[in-house]
Amino acid sequence: MRRLNKRKALNLVKELDAFPKIPESYIETSSSGGTVSIIAFTTIAVLSVMEFFVYQDTWMRYDYEVDKDFASKLRINLDITVSMKCHYIGADVLDLAETMVAASEGLKYEPTVFELSSRQKMWQRTLQKIRRKVQEEHSLQDLLFKSAFRGSPTALPPREDKLSFPHDACRIHGHLYVNKVAGNFHITVGKAIPHPRGHAHMAALVSHDVYNFSHRIDHYSFGEPIPGIINPLDGTEKIAIDHNQMFQYFITIVPTKLNTYKFTAETHQYSVTERERVIDHAAGSHGVSGIFMKYDISSLMVTVTEQHMPLGQFLVRLCGIIGGIFSTTGMLHGFVGFLVDVVCCRFKLGAYKPKAVTALDGHINNHSVPILDDCEH
């Protein structure tokens, strides 16, 4: 009784077989089918390898939300060289709340030479070229995010030659912590002094003949510095055409959280608009000579997350490639074979060519009725 039940169960399973086996004696192979099979297998192999590379790759997803952190401090990192001696200029920050942050709290003044060496000029040209490419193609920014902390530092390399002429410039570098509100970082003539209504600079004792606000921005960023990230102002160089000239940079800062498979960091991206003009009170162009970087902070925060294709999705796509190519090539092979049969039958070509009947004496009877395949029934 148990054996009978097992046989019934096996027979039921066999009837549900969706992949019936065809005896090899019923299978007919052809050269055209072999050619199509080779093309199909080659296409499957190529597409499978390409799909594997896509599976290995990652991409960056951008999410936006309101920035709720207004209590923390904002860090400003800078490395700027001005073509004036250090005792002539001063740098500080004045924010929207009339809070002044003196440069002595985190910045260093270092006498240097404004002219770069040959290796430094090559570094600057390379940095400017990369920065322009990043601005033109946003996908390069994603690549920089992925390679952050692994890339080379973007700091200006030291001089390889010895100075043969005196210092004519001042390098201001370091970092400052300011309130997370709009503000104005500026470098102008004279050291900054506190004032009940804001602040002032002791510029009265400096002659206008020494004014020269030609400058080079080797680095300017906000937040914790991340090696390998290229900022919009890195490598910028401006040459003053007049002693009394104002350079203005209008900066919009966007708080950014960076989450990759290698690290997690909180930093700030920014966009910048530049403007420069000569101060001429007689012509109505008023202002103060110097370098002014006015920044504002966006209320939105960007979260950049590195994503990867799930294994299940990769397997589904791989099965789709294999099954789709097999089905498509099979249908195309059958359709082309059908068209060939129709053409050959219509024009009596190949296997459909008429065959003459041979007489009993071995001679061909040209007057006999030809025997045709039944393609014209």
Side-chain angles (χ1 to χ4, degrees):
M1 193 69 178
R2 291 181 178 177
R3 292 181 179 178
L4 186 60
N5 292 334
K6 287 183 179 179
R7 287 181 180 179
K8 289 183 178 180
L10 290 176
N11 291 333
L12 180 61
V13 172
K14 288 181 180 179
E15 291 178 0
L16 296 176
D17 186 7
F19 307 98
K21 308 299 184 294
I22 302 176
E24 293 185 2
S25 58
Y26 295 164
I27 300 175
E28 182 181 357
T29 58
S30 62
S31 58
S32 61
T35 304
V36 173
S37 299
I38 293 175
I39 295 174
F41 288 136
T42 304
T43 307
I44 289 174
V46 172
L47 293 182
S48 298
V49 172
M50 294 174 63
E51 188 66 25
F52 179 73
F53 285 130
V54 172
Y55 170 71
Q56 281 190 321
D57 195 15
T58 59
W59 62 89
M60 309 303 290
R61 188 186 71 185
Y62 292 79
D63 298 316
Y64 303 90
E65 59 182 319
V66 177
D67 185 17
K68 301 177 182 178
D69 181 18
F70 293 103
S72 62
K73 294 287 186 177
L74 177 65
R75 172 169 170 161
I76 303 178
N77 312 292
L78 59 98
D79 188 350
I80 302 175
T81 302
V82 184
S83 186
M84 291 180 66
K85 294 185 177 181
C86 292
H87 59 272
Y88 288 146
I89 58 177
D92 63 296
V93 178
L94 184 66
D95 61 23
L96 199 62
E98 299 295 331
T99 303
M100 188 186 78
V101 179
S104 59
E105 297 183 10
L107 298 183
K108 298 179 181 178
Y109 292 77
E110 180 182 332
T112 185
V113 175
F114 190 76
E115 184 70 20
L116 296 176
S117 64
S118 57
R119 188 179 72 169
Q120 290 175 329
K121 289 181 180 179
M122 185 181 300
W123 171 88
Q124 186 186 35
R125 287 194 297 267
T126 304
L127 184 60
Q128 291 174 347
K129 188 178 298 183
I130 295 175
R131 189 192 67 199
R132 285 193 297 268
K133 287 293 184 181
V134 170
Q135 293 174 350
E136 295 171 359
E137 302 181 21
H138 189 70
S139 58
L140 293 179
Q141 184 65 55
D142 294 346
L143 182 62
L144 292 177
F145 281 149
K146 294 178 186 179
S147 61
F149 287 109
R150 292 179 296 170
S152 302
T154 57
L156 181 70
R159 301 184 70 94
E160 72 278 10
D161 55 349
K162 294 183 179 180
L163 295 176
S164 58
F165 39 89
H167 297 152
D168 60 351
C170 182
R171 179 191 174 200
I172 305 174
H173 60 98
H175 63 272
L176 292 170
Y177 286 96
V178 298
N179 297 323
K180 207 170 181 181
V181 295
N184 180 7
F185 170 79
H186 52 271
I187 303 173
T188 187
V189 178
K191 301 299 180 182
I193 55 174
H195 193 272
R197 295 184 179 180
H199 78 297
H201 287 260
M202 300 178 61
L205 302 179
V206 181
S207 173
H208 282 73
D209 296 334
V210 300
Y211 285 19
N212 184 3
F213 283 100
S214 300
H215 61 280
R216 182 178 61 252
I217 304 174
D218 298 324
H219 179 77
Y220 195 84
S221 66
F222 299 89
E224 294 299 324
I226 300 179
I229 297 297
I230 308 297
N231 299 284
L233 285 176
D234 292 354
T236 300
E237 183 174 287
K238 298 290 184 180
I239 304 299
I241 59 175
D242 192 272
H243 291 294
N244 295 325
Q245 191 162 349
M246 173 189 288
F247 296 91
Q248 292 176 303
Y249 299 91
F250 301 94
I251 301 172
T252 301
I253 307 170
V254 181
T256 305
K257 286 185 179 180
L258 189 58
N259 300 316
T260 68
Y261 290 107
K262 300 294 184 180
F263 64 92
T264 300
E266 293 188 6
T267 182
H268 293 75
Q269 302 180 87
Y270 66 90
S271 60
V272 61
T273 302
E274 305 174 9
R275 184 190 178 194
E276 58 184 81
R277 59 188 175 91
V278 175
I279 304 300
D280 188 355
H281 299 287
S285 177
H286 304 292
V288 179
S289 303
I291 305 165
F292 298 86
M293 297 182 173
K294 299 180 179 181
Y295 59 87
D296 195 3
I297 303 175
S298 173
S299 58
L300 291 179
M301 180 175 64
V302 180
T303 301
V304 185
T305 307
E306 186 177 10
Q307 289 192 323
H308 186 269
M309 181 188 297
L311 178 61
Q313 183 179 352
F314 167 69
L315 295 177
V316 169
R317 291 166 64 101
L318 198 62
C319 292
I321 289 174
I322 298 173
I325 291 177
F326 265 121
S327 301
T328 305
T329 53
M331 289 188 295
L332 288 176
H333 180 250
F335 181 70
V336 172
F338 171 74
L339 291 180
V340 171
D341 288 342
V342 171
V343 172
C344 291
C345 183
R346 177 69 180 82
F347 296 100
K348 309 296 187 297
L349 301 175
Y352 299 96
K353 188 175 182 180
K355 298 178 181 178
V357 179
T358 306
L360 295 176
D361 57 355
H363 297 284
I364 298 177
N365 185 1
N366 294 329
H367 301 285
S368 60
V369 179
I371 301 175
L372 301 177
D373 293 339
D374 37 7
C375 65
E376 296 179 353
H377 288 261

